[in-house]
């Protein structure tokens, strides 16, 4: 027992000595080199300095950018036992992100980050600037995601050399100042899954070169000034889930090939100049949940010519301001998932199938105003109570509300505005 006490006393003394006086142990200091390729680190510092300003001293603030002093917006991975930058996000994405300078520049060192997989710019370019063509080919074997979001200063054409980034899976160019035509080289990006050019000032015709983009899931060209016709090669986008071409100047007929997009869940063509009527191929899009065609001059097209019942997955159907004629098809009442139905501002005639429309279990908004509908509205007060102001039937000169409902003081406040009492 005495021996054990003596042994533990010696052990405790040795531990205390190790903690306080053993100068032979290695000392970790700030000057210790991080396991990062030196050229890679210097390229990162220089690239970021070009965006945030010359006063930014990366080596002093972040001596180990892939380790114990990480930079917000920078991610790294190990290749051949050394750290390399794989993700770089510039701009105020987060509260502690590095803000971009008003006099920023894209330094050539940016393109020396040879393992970069993701590059994004958010609200960086405020002053007018044109993106140079040079350098992008250096990312051809690595970059999978490229994003320009909310950069009003980015003007001019999108560099055609972006088409060299053949590893890209996502190209997002959202709400910038880009203009001119889209380069046809974007169709070289065969592995793309998401292609977004929304909210810019692009113009001209949409390139007819989509044949090879078999993996594309999302195509959003909305809120630009694209003109001409919709290219037939859109039918080759066989994997497409969402197609948004809204708010452009696209004209002509819908191509027959659009019926080949069997997986499409969203088709938004609102606010364009499409004409020539509703394509029968639309009813082949049986996976659609949202179909928005409003504000296109389709002409005097009878809605009865489309078999709406085939599109049983529809949740949103907006056919307003299209010049449609004929009666409201009863086949619409087979769309049991429908939540929004917009038929306003057309030339629809005939009676309103009130009871069948009311029977739709999910319907939460119905707009039939500004047509030439006739007869009595036969919706119940319960229906009006549920819909509130999301039901409109005004400006149908020959449409009326049953007199007994108008007369009832308890129901009067529920009735839609602008519909006269029946006499």
């Amino acid at each position: 027992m005495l021996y054990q006490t003596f042994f533990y006393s010696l052990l405790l003394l040795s531990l205390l000595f190790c903690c306080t006086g053993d100068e032979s142990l290695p000392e970790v200091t700030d000057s210790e080199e991080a396991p990062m390729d030196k050229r890679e680190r210097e390229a990162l510092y220089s690239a970021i300095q070009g965006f945030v300003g010359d006063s930014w001293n990366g080596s002093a603030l972040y001596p180990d950018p892939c380790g114990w002093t990480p930079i917000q917006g920078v991610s790294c991975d190990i290749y051949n036992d050394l750290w390399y930058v794989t993700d770089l996000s510039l701009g105020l994405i987060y509260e502690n992100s590095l803000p971009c300078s008003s006099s920023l520049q894209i330094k050539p060192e940016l393109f020396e980050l040879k393992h970069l997989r993701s590059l994004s710019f958010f609200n960086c370019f405020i002053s007018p600037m044109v993106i140079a063509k040079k350098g992008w080919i250096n990312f051809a074997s690595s970059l999978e995601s490229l994003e320009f979001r909310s950069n009003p200063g980015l003007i001019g054409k999108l560099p055609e050399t972006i088409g060299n980034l053949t590893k890209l899976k996502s190209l997002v160019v959202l709400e910038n100042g880009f203009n001119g035509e889209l380069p046809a080289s974007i169709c070289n990006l065969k592995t793309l899954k998401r292609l977004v050019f929304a909210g810019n000032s692009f113009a001209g015709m949409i390139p007819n070169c989509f044949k090879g983009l078999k993996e594309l899931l999302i195509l959003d060209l909305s809120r630009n000034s694209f003109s001409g016709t919709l290219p037939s090669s859109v039918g080759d986008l066989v994997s497409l889930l969402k197609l948004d071409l809204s708010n452009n100047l696209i004209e002509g007929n819908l191509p027959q090939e659009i019926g080949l997009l069997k997986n499409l869940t969203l088709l938004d063509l609102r606010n364009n100049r499409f004409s020539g009527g509703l394509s029968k191929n639309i009813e082949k899009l049986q996976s659609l949940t949202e179909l928005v065609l409003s504000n296109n001059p389709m002409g005097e097209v009878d809605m009865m010519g489309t078999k709406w019942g085939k599109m049983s997955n529809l949740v949103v159907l907006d056919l307003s301001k299209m010049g449609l004629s004929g009666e409201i098809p009863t086949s619409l009442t087979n769309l049991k998932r429908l939540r929004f139905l917009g038929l306003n501002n057309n030339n629809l005639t005939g009676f309103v199938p009130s009871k069948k429309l009311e029977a739709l279990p999910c319907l939460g908004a119905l707009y039939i105003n500004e047509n030439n509908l006739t007869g009595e509205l036969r919706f119940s007060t319960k229906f009006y109570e549920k819909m509130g102001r999301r039901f409109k039937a005004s400006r149908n000169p020959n449409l009326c509300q049953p007199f007994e409902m108008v007369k009832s003081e308890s129901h009067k406040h529920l009735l839609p505005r602008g519909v006269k009492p029946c006499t």
Side-chain angles (χ1 to χ4, degrees):
M1 187 71 178
L2 183 62
Y3 173 77
Q4 286 181 332
T5 304
F6 177 73
F7 174 77
Y8 285 125
S9 299
L10 286 176
L11 181 61
L12 180 60
L13 286 171
S14 65
L15 288 173
L16 287 171
F17 178 76
C18 289
C19 292
T20 58
D22 190 350
E23 297 181 358
S24 65
L25 292 178
E27 184 178 358
V28 178
T29 66
D30 291 341
S31 62
E32 184 174 295
E33 289 293 322
M36 184 177 185
D37 182 270
K38 183 178 180 181
R39 288 174 298 179
E40 179 84 355
R41 184 168 59 245
E42 294 304 320
L44 175 64
Y45 291 153
S46 182
I48 293 179
Q49 190 178 57
F51 285 98
V52 303
D54 292 337
S55 61
W56 186 80
N57 189 341
S59 58
L61 295 169
Y62 306 96
D64 187 8
C66 290
W68 59 276
T69 57
I71 304 173
Q72 181 65 264
V74 176
S75 298
C76 306
D77 205 345
I78 293 177
Y79 295 86
N80 298 322
D81 299 323
L82 293 173
W83 287 108
Y84 288 89
V85 178
T86 56
D87 302 86
L88 180 58
S89 299
L90 296 159
L92 288 173
I93 302 173
Y94 309 104
E95 287 186 6
N96 57 343
S97 297
L98 296 173
C100 291
S101 168
S102 58
S103 58
L104 62 82
Q105 58 177 315
I106 300 179
K107 290 188 174 183
E109 286 82 359
L110 173 68
F111 302 105
E112 294 177 12
L113 303 175
K114 59 184 179 181
H115 291 289
L116 200 63
R117 293 196 297 258
S118 176
L119 176 61
S120 68
F121 304 90
F122 176 76
N123 200 25
C124 251
F125 301 87
I126 306 300
S127 301
M129 182 175 182
V130 176
I131 296 291
K133 296 180 181 180
K134 293 182 179 180
W136 294 102
I137 196 169
N138 292 3
F139 291 147
S141 62
S142 63
L143 202 63
E144 297 179 358
S145 176
L146 176 61
E147 297 191 359
F148 298 94
R149 292 178 181 263
S150 302
N151 297 283
L154 280 183
I155 59 174
K157 293 185 177 182
L158 189 73
E160 61 186 19
T161 48
I162 296 292
N164 293 320
L165 305 177
T166 53
K167 298 288 186 180
L168 273 186
K169 295 180 181 178
S170 176
L171 176 56
V172 176
V173 183
L174 178 65
E175 296 178 351
N176 303 285
F178 287 113
N179 52 46
E181 297 185 354
L182 281 183
S185 62
I186 61 169
C187 293
N188 297 334
L189 308 177
K190 308 296 186 185
T191 59
L192 273 181
K193 295 185 181 297
R194 179 171 59 167
L195 181 58
V196 176
F197 288 122
N200 290 276
S201 298
F202 290 115
M205 298 186 68
I206 299 171
N208 189 13
C209 60
F210 293 126
K211 189 172 183 179
L213 305 185
K214 304 292 186 183
E215 298 180 29
L216 195 65
L217 302 176
I218 297 172
L219 177 58
D220 186 351
L221 307 181
S222 63
R223 293 179 289 132
N224 283 286
S225 297
F226 290 114
S227 57
T229 58
L230 183 59
S232 59
S233 63
V234 72
D236 292 307
L237 303 174
V238 292
S239 299
L240 205 62
L241 299 176
K242 297 184 178 182
L243 176 58
D244 190 347
L245 305 176
S246 62
N247 297 288
N248 279 287
L249 304 171
I250 307 170
E251 58 190 9
N253 296 350
L254 292 177
Q256 292 184 354
E257 290 80 2
I258 206 165
L260 300 174
L261 306 180
K262 304 294 186 182
N263 297 310
L264 204 63
T265 60
L266 179 144
L267 177 59
D268 191 345
L269 305 179
R270 81 183 88 177
N271 300 330
N272 275 286
R273 298 176 179 176
F274 287 107
S275 57
L278 290 170
S279 171
K280 279 193 170 293
N281 291 287
I282 281 184
E283 64 192 41
K284 296 178 181 179
L285 306 178
Q286 296 178 18
S287 295
L288 274 183
T289 59
E290 298 182 50
L291 176 59
V292 183
L293 304 177
S294 56
N295 202 20
N296 282 285
M298 289 292 185
E300 293 287 329
V301 180
D302 193 337
M303 285 189 66
M304 302 294 282
T306 302
K307 297 177 181 178
W308 299 101
K310 288 185 175 182
M311 307 170 73
S312 58
N313 290 307
L314 276 177
V315 174
V316 173
L317 178 59
D318 191 350
L319 304 176
S320 58
K321 299 181 181 179
M322 293 177 62
L324 301 178
S325 61
E327 299 182 359
I328 297 176
T330 55
S331 58
L332 289 176
T333 63
N334 295 323
L335 305 178
K336 303 302 182 185
R337 298 183 180 182
L338 201 63
R339 294 180 181 272
F340 179 98
L341 178 57
L343 301 175
N344 53 290
N345 296 84
N346 284 296
N347 297 310
L348 298 176
T349 56
F351 296 98
V352 179
S354 304
K355 295 301 181 184
K356 290 185 177 182
L357 287 172
E358 183 173 347
L360 290 174
C362 300
L363 191 64
L366 174 61
Y367 299 98
I368 56 174
N369 49 298
E370 299 194 45
N371 281 286
N372 291 307
L373 298 166
T374 59
E376 293 186 359
L377 289 177
R378 287 292 179 180
F379 295 106
S380 68
T381 54
K382 187 177 180 180
F383 174 81
Y384 289 139
E385 189 173 7
K386 180 183 80 168
M387 301 295 280
R389 297 306 173 193
R390 296 185 303 276
F391 173 74
K392 291 185 179 179
S394 59
R395 297 189 180 181
N396 285 281
N398 299 311
L399 192 65
C400 64
Q401 192 73 54
F403 183 74
E404 60 271 18
M405 293 189 73
V406 177
K407 187 178 179 181
S408 172
E409 290 297 329
S410 60
H411 299 150
K412 198 171 183 178
H413 69 284
L414 299 173
L415 301 182
R417 297 174 180 176
V419 181
K420 64 185 179 181
C422 300
T423 55

